[in-house]
Every structure is written in C-alpha cells, then in structure tokens.
Amino acid sequence: MKPFSAIIAVTILLLAGTNGWCAIRVVSTIPDFSDLAAQVGGKRVSVTALVRPTQDPHFLDAKPSFLLSLHQADILLYTGMELEEGWLPPLLQGSRNRAIQRGGAGNVDCSRFIEPMDVRAPDRAMGDIHPGGNPHYWTDPRNGLRIATGIRDTLCRLDGAHCDEYHRNAAAFEKKLNAKMKEWKADLKPVAGKRVYVYHESWVYFLDFAELVQAGAIEPRPGVPPPPSHAASLIARAREEHIHLILQESWYPISTSRLIAQKAKVRLAVLPTMVGAAGTENYIQLIDAIVREVIK
Amino acid sequence: MKNWIAAALLLCPFTALAAEPSAGTVGNEMNPSISLILDAVGAYFSNERGFRQGGHAPTRSGPSLQGAELAMSASVDPWFRVDAAFEMSHLHLEEIFLTTTSLPFSLQLRAGQFKSHAGRLNATHPHQWHFVTQPLANEFIFGAEGITLPGAEISWLAPLPWYLEIKGSLQTGSAGVFRTRSIADGDPGFRDFLYPLRLVQFFDISDDWALQVGASGVFGPSDQGPESGNRAQAFGVDLFLKWRPIGAGTTGHTFVAWTAETWVRQMEVPDDLWTDLGATGDVVFGISKRWETALRLELWRRLAGAMSETRARYGLNAFRVAANVGFLPSHFSRIRLQYQIENIETYNSGHVLMLQVEVSAGAHGAHAY
C-alpha cells in the first residue's frame, strides 16, 4: 500500500503544480518585478521573468513556453495599463491556472500600487496611448518601493504564516532603497531642471524623480517612428531650448537619435530599463546605472 | 496512506490558502472588448477566366471587401470567457464560443461555434495571415471558410518540461471535403461528426530561436455520400521555425520565420477513393517595425483515384508562388502588395496582383503563437 500512497502524494504535489520544495512561484512579465519579489520573498519564493531585459516589453511573441511557466505560477506580477496587452492575454487564458486569472488570488497588476502619470483619453489617432496612464513606471525608485510593498502585502495575503518574514525583508529593502534614493537625489541635483528629449515616452516617472523636464519626444506620437521632418524640428528646437540629453532604451532604432544628438550637439544616453540589462543584477543596480548615465 | 497525503499537503500549506480573490483589478471589466477589423483589397487578374479562390479571397479585378469583422471578447465569470467574431461583409456569425479558464488536470474546454485547430492556419482569421489569400491546401481540404463549425473542443497541456498540447474537437456541419449528413437521413451518431485533432510541441531553443512542430488529423463523413457512410480524412504535419534576435541593441522587429505544412487527404466517393497531397512553405522576413516581406510556395497533386468534374471541385493540380511586401504605418494598420503567379490545371497560368489595406480599431486582442 505504501508505494501506492506515495504515488498519490507525489501526484498531489504535481497537481498542485509544485516544485522547488514548495517555494511560492512568482512569474513576472518584466524582470524588475521578479527582482523586487525576490527581495521581499527571500528564500520562500522562486522567480521567473518572461521579458528579457533587453527586449521591448510591448512586443513579445506569445511563446507557448511562457504558458508553462504561467501554468505553474502562484503569483503573476505584470505592469498593467495594457503594456502587455499584445501578448499576455492568450498566454493567461491558455495557462489554465485560475489563481492568476483576472480576479484570481495571484493576479497582481502592479500599476495598482503606483500613482499613474500621463493619463489621457486612449485615442489611437494620437498614437498607441495606453488607457489608465503611462505604463513605464518602474524606473522611478519611489515606485519601486511602492511595488515592493504591494508584493509584500500580496505574499502576506497568500502565505500569512510567513508574513512577518516578508515584512522584515521588505523593511530591509526599503531601508536600502531609501538610503540609495538620498544618494541618487544628491547625484542628480546638478542636472535638476534641465530639459531632455526622449525617444519613447517611457521616462516620465524617472524624469519626475530626477526633476528633469521632458522637452520633446523623438517619436512624434507614441509607437510611431519619426519622419525626417520631425527630427529636423527637434534639432532646431534643441539648439534654442538648450536640450541637455537624449534618453532612449536599447531596443529603439538609434539612427534618428544619433543624428539629432550629432547635429544639435546633445549627448545621447542609451539606458537600461530592466534588471539584467547593462550588467545589472538587481533593482538598485539598475537605478544606479540609469542615474550614472544621466549625470555622466 | 493518509499520512503520505497529509504530508504532501502540509509541505505546501501555501497552495491550500491561495483561493482568496485578489484585492481588485483595474480596467473596464464589465464590458466586452470590442474591435473592428477591416480587410479591403484591390486586385488585378491577368486571366479573367482563370482560377479563383473562395471565401475571403478577391474573385475579380477591381476593389473588393475581404472582410469586416466585429470581434468581441469578455470574461463571463471566474470560470468562463467568451469570444465572438461577426463577419459584417457577409452578414454571418463566424465564431462564438466559451473557453474555460480553470478546469483541473490541465484541461481546457471550448464550446460553441469555432475555428478548430487543424494545422497552423485553420484557427486563424485573415488579418493574422502573412499573405492576402489562404493556402490552396487549406481551401481544398477544409473549404473557403475552413473548419468553422459548432461543436466542442477539449485540450490538454501535458505535464512535461516542454510545451506539448493535445487538442481534439467534435464538430458538425460542412467544411470542404467533410459534411455531416442531413438530419433527414436520421439522427446523427458519432460517425456523423467531424473530429479535428492536433498535437503541438514548442521548443524554446534559445532567446532568439524558437521551433514549433505539430501533427494534425481530421476525420469525418465525406462530402460525397455521407449518408452512404463515405468517409474523408486528412493528415498534416507542420513546422514553424523563427529567429528573432532580442539581445542588446536589437529592436525585436527583425525576424525570419519559416513555416512548412504538408497534408495528405483521402476522400471516399461513390465507387472511388481520392488521395491528394498538398504542401505549403513560406518565409516571412521582418525588416523593421514598419516593413516586412514574405514568399510562399504551394503545391497540390492528385496521388490516386480518377479525375472527374466532381473531383475538380475539391482541388486541381496546382503550383503557386506568392511574394509580398507589407508596410505598417502603426501596429494597427498595414498596406500589403502581393504578387502571385499560378499554374493550375484546366486554367491557363496567370498572374495576380493585389493591394490590400488592413486596419484594426479598438481593443483588438493578442494572438496565439
């Protein structure tokens, strides 16, 4: 009877979709949320990110291999505000995992934890505008802290037995991040108030933290590649408006930004935005890398 | 035994607690997501009396509407989701089906009227195609609209380290060489339904390379004499290989995707058994966010059985090449120019030029891989 009961026990474990000695399996879309979950969950969570750190999170292939990760996930952390609308829904549906479906215990839209910026009526004539606000909020460390706190509360809700541990981990992370935020604020002080161009409107939250001013975007409308006339007008304006810097992610075409930078004699900074890019290993290193590039 | 099971549950107290709903979600969840998808085409046929495809393909020189689809989807409750597609240009309901979200044992059920999984293409809509027209093999086997019929589908995600899914459906109606006999011939039994089956595997070779392989079979009553017990069946294998670099400095919009699909079709008809082979191969090149181009080669051959006027309705020996270039002003619109050269028996060879405009407005959802 014993081998039979052991088989049943193993089957229960498999049906419960467990592995890694029952660590809470957190799957995130972008790797930043995975890192924050690891900081708060410690050894009690295993984390997997679907988006690679150098990949545009708007445009992923809905690979069936992602579906396997989601099938076994206890918690799904995603950006929301329809950033992942082009690839996540069919994976979520195919995952057959009730816990992470909308309304499920493990479905965590991280945009709920932050104050949205750029909330505009979603009119596609104005480009690919996301309903609910600008979804590129995680590069503001103040939002990093809010997301970590939201993850802490989620873990507590699902795994109350270890809530104290999650609170301790989150408090330790908050202490570290607060200390770093003071450093970053001091480092950024010399550039505060300066005007910058961005390629895609994905920097509003960081710029708000850094007290930089977005004076223009190389994409004339979100998601629409720039025509030469728009680049020419940005070059002309850059000289008049004393543009300090051009910011863009590595996955956007660089030729127009480089042209504007050369012609207007403005520095172009190609920045990492997700943990794992540019050699970063965690969220604090990521913000560190961004700040370093901005103040260079 | 109880001790073992209790130990298994205790090892994972977390899983037993994870049933409480989340604090809330954002978004307008009470209303279905609605989108409007328009496909319009201007065509030129060098041979005005040449071969014509059915369904969404243009059939004469000049402008035509390929499709105007009103698509809707919504969560019904925690257990079901519903999807619908109404084809406004031909005023018919293409699809309306529910999908379960959380059946046990990795199962999922679809029920209603839906496009079944038979090969890579049958379950897709025209705006998902990389070409203006669907492959000849799909049309000759499953008809101009594909297998889009009422029924139910069960699929199972295998508990393996790689993705393997098996899907099987039971559907009723008429699609290409398959037809459920009329109710006038008696109540249908299990032999009167169509049974599309598919096994699909996916291998994430690396961040940049992905491979999907599938095998499909469709079994059902033959369109020629279902009331006499004539049967039809189709067996297909497909392969999809994609290279899409996503490392530092890449845009992710450059890719090469190769699809190859082969079908063997058998159809019982009064006093004969027809066997045919269809093959399609295409390569799609993503050049940038705004430009893509594609090349397709197609072949259809009779393997056994006598040729007749009736048989010609289910396929002709054919060889066709199509090449196109597409410009995407945004993620929601596309302008595509396609050139097609075809050599199809009983028709003179011909050239076709098509300029297609495709737009998708509203909350148009994502597509499966």
Side-chain angles (χ1 to χ4, degrees), chain A residues 22 54 59 65 93 96 105, chain B residues 12 20 81 165 204 244 246:
Chain A
C22 299
T54 52
F59 301 107
S65 49
Q93 185 179 329
R96 300 152 166 83
Chain B
C12 306
E20 188 187 328
R81 167 193 163 90
E165 191 173 4
D204 222 343
R244 182 189 179 190
I246 55 170

Side-chain angles (χ1 to χ4, degrees), chain A residues 71-241:
Chain A
H71 178 62
Q72 297 185 336
D74 299 308
I75 294 174
L76 168 66
L77 303 172
Y78 60 102
T79 316
M81 294 171 162
E82 299 200 353
L83 180 76
E84 299 100 341
E85 201 61 15
W87 55 275
L88 188 59
L91 294 171
L92 207 49
Q93 185 179 329
S95 72
R96 300 152 166 83
N97 182 349
R98 189 183 158 198
I100 62 164
Q101 302 295 324
R102 276 184 174 267
N107 181 297
V108 182
D109 176 349
C110 292
S111 69
R112 283 196 284 116
F113 306 133
I114 61 107
E115 274 301 316
M117 295 176 73
D118 280 355
V119 182
R120 289 173 278 187
D123 180 352
R124 293 240 173 92
M126 301 304 293
D128 191 6
I129 292 182
H130 296 262
N134 188 314
H136 304 273
Y137 53 79
W138 63 90
T139 48
D140 179 343
R142 296 168 300 185
N143 284 341
L145 195 54
R146 292 180 184 117
I147 298 161
T149 306
I151 291 170
R152 179 200 68 191
D153 294 343
T154 304
L155 288 170
C156 279
R157 196 172 69 247
L158 296 180
D159 185 21
H162 302 106
C163 190
D164 289 346
E165 193 177 329
Y166 301 134
H167 271 268
R168 278 198 304 277
N169 293 346
F173 176 70
E174 183 177 352
K175 196 175 167 191
K176 260 194 293 185
L177 192 60
N178 275 333
K180 287 299 290 183
M181 273 200 269
K182 276 187 191 155
E183 272 180 42
W184 293 328
K185 274 286 192 189
D187 292 344
L188 287 163
K189 204 165 184 183
V191 296
K194 293 198 184 275
R195 297 164 72 80
V196 300
Y197 283 162
V198 298
Y199 187 93
H200 184 69
E201 291 188 18
S202 39
W203 295 99
V204 288
Y205 297 90
F206 176 79
L207 296 182
D208 187 59
F209 172 73
E211 297 178 52
L212 289 162
V213 178
Q214 181 178 312
I218 294 175
E219 285 181 337
R221 295 181 181 87
V224 177
S229 57
H230 183 67
S233 85
L234 287 175
I235 291 167
R237 278 181 45 210
R239 290 175 187 142
E240 291 165 14
E241 297 183 18

